[in-house]
Amino acid sequence: MTDYSLLLSQRAKNIKPSGIRKFFSAASEMKDVISLGVGEPDFKTPWVIRKAGIASLDAGRTWYTANAGLSALQKEISLYLKRRFELAYAPENVLVTVGGSEAIDLAMRAFINPGDEVLIPEPSFVCYTPIAELCGARPVPVVTKAEDEFRLNPDALRAAITPKTKLLVFPFPNNPTGGVMRRKHLEEIAGVLKGTDIIVLSDEIYAELTYGEEGHVSISSVDGMKDRTIVVNGFSKAHAMTGWRLGYVTGPAPVMEVLNKIHQYAIMCAPTTSQYAAIEALRSCDDDVLKMAEEYNKRRRLIVMRLNEMGLSCFNPGGAFYAFPSIQSTGLSSQEFCERLLHSKKVAVVPGDAFGDSGEGFVRISYSYSIEHIKEALRRIEAFLKELRA
Amino acid sequence: MYDLLKLLEDNARYSDKELSAILGISGEEVRKKIADLEEDGILRGYKAIVDWEKTERDVVMARIELKVIPKRDRGFEELAETISGFEEVQTLYLMSGGYDLAVTVVGKSFKDIANFVAHRLAPLESVQATATHFVLRKYKDKNTLFIDPERDERGVVL
């Protein structure tokens, strides 16, 4: 038998396996488990979008598209970014990708030389560190804290910068914390980056799920930032299109040329059916997006009120669809809390340390579920806490 | 206000506290708004949605179309009031199109319904014709599914 461990790449082998996969496969095999674990919308893709996808199949549009995507879609994305976020990017500088994930991968591969440092605010979505490592970079976590409402603290950022810093991953609104960066906070970050050569990889996949009057502000729209920012966004969260695997990336023209090159060889093009559906999404679904966001907002207020009421201190998340309460008052670790909650009350939530060491002491609770479902799960969590404290 | 009504239409059993959190207004405001809406007759009631099919009790439902000669001075109102008064009647709508009144009636058996049509509706002075349609199965009522919901197929993704 071949010893594959001698053959597999050192970098691939060094990637840390996900520690919680076991936990959730156990959860999925238990009966009557109520999950608050998912990371995708509970809404179905709006009907007109599905119909547009079906129509493209009926019409037999089953070929590859241009590498960068259908030109009509590039144009719609360009219009959308202007309409919603005041971002001016020419259609030819938009690259349609297989989800935001591919866009993140491309951007890292385009910029990283071995030994470069990549700053990654933590807790955060789990893909940044392994991708950076595969590129030979040294990932450097920059901890965000509950007392800063999980924003990237400009002083913490300044302290993490070295001459080797190449990229700053900028994942706001944030999964799992729900933290957002408002304009004044973005300006502080821009101030720290001024005079450096650091590129910002702004993952704005949750942009449409930003709550409050102000709405999402892209760091690219802040003075002096556009030339150093790569904007990643997509259809998964805003348009409830996770399974269609469609995202996009835009940035300065010379950068996009390189991203396109990698994309062309690695992926060829994003799925054609999804691209036709996405054109419809951007032409006629702004209202659907707002309606879904308003639903999440209702659930958000309910869940935050209830968690605080039952003694799990929870900062008021400004975006995404997660609450990230502290469970430190229980004296349990995140993993212990989740395991005991699962076994005693059959509720599945995600331990915070799955999102980086700094997530220890927190759990991620998704509110991408019906209010009825959320209420029942919260009732069980409350009963669990009562038993714990008795 | 529409937000509040929509929520109560979805679930009349939210507590004032839950409503206040969901809507981002104070509990005091919630109570006042509900009292005003009840006062104005906008909130007409709070009732459970029952799937009798799942019980032992026999329930038969029919939808009856009525053609009516309207009264010169009171139009359809007088007849509508009379029919609304029958306790077997669940819904009553004035319709455009091929007939005038749509009546939903509930009884214990086909015979119950037949008797109701023959003895209560048909003899009414201004009723010209009736057409009775029995309900075979209820899939959705009051915006609530009467069939089992789809399984949540979403897995945990970080």
Side-chain angles (χ1 to χ4, degrees), chain A residues 44 175 301 309 368 372, chain B residues 11 17 21-22 150 154 158:
Chain A
K44 287 179 182 155
N175 166 16
R301 289 189 292 238
E309 185 183 60
S368 186
E372 288 310 307
Chain B
N11 180 354
K17 201 175 191 178
I22 293 170
E150 293 169 56
R154 295 174 297 161
L158 308 183

Side-chain angles (χ1 to χ4, degrees), chain A residues 17 24 27 29 55 63 113 117 129 135 205 213 265 297 309 313 316 342 347 353 356 363 372 384:
Chain A
F24 279 101
E29 274 160 33
W63 294 287
N113 287 315
E117 292 178 353
T129 298
C135 295
I205 193 77
E213 297 290 299
Y265 293 121
N297 195 11
E309 185 183 60
S313 119
N316 197 14
L342 176 65
V347 177
D353 62 333
V363 296
E372 288 310 307
F384 170 70

Side-chain angles (χ1 to χ4, degrees), chain A residues 370-388:
Chain A
S370 72
I371 289 191
E372 288 310 307
H373 181 104
I374 291 169
K375 277 176 62 175
E376 170 60 17
L378 288 171
R379 198 188 57 72
R380 294 189 191 187
I381 294 174
E382 189 167 37
F384 170 70
L385 290 170
K386 266 195 191 128
E387 285 169 24
L388 212 57

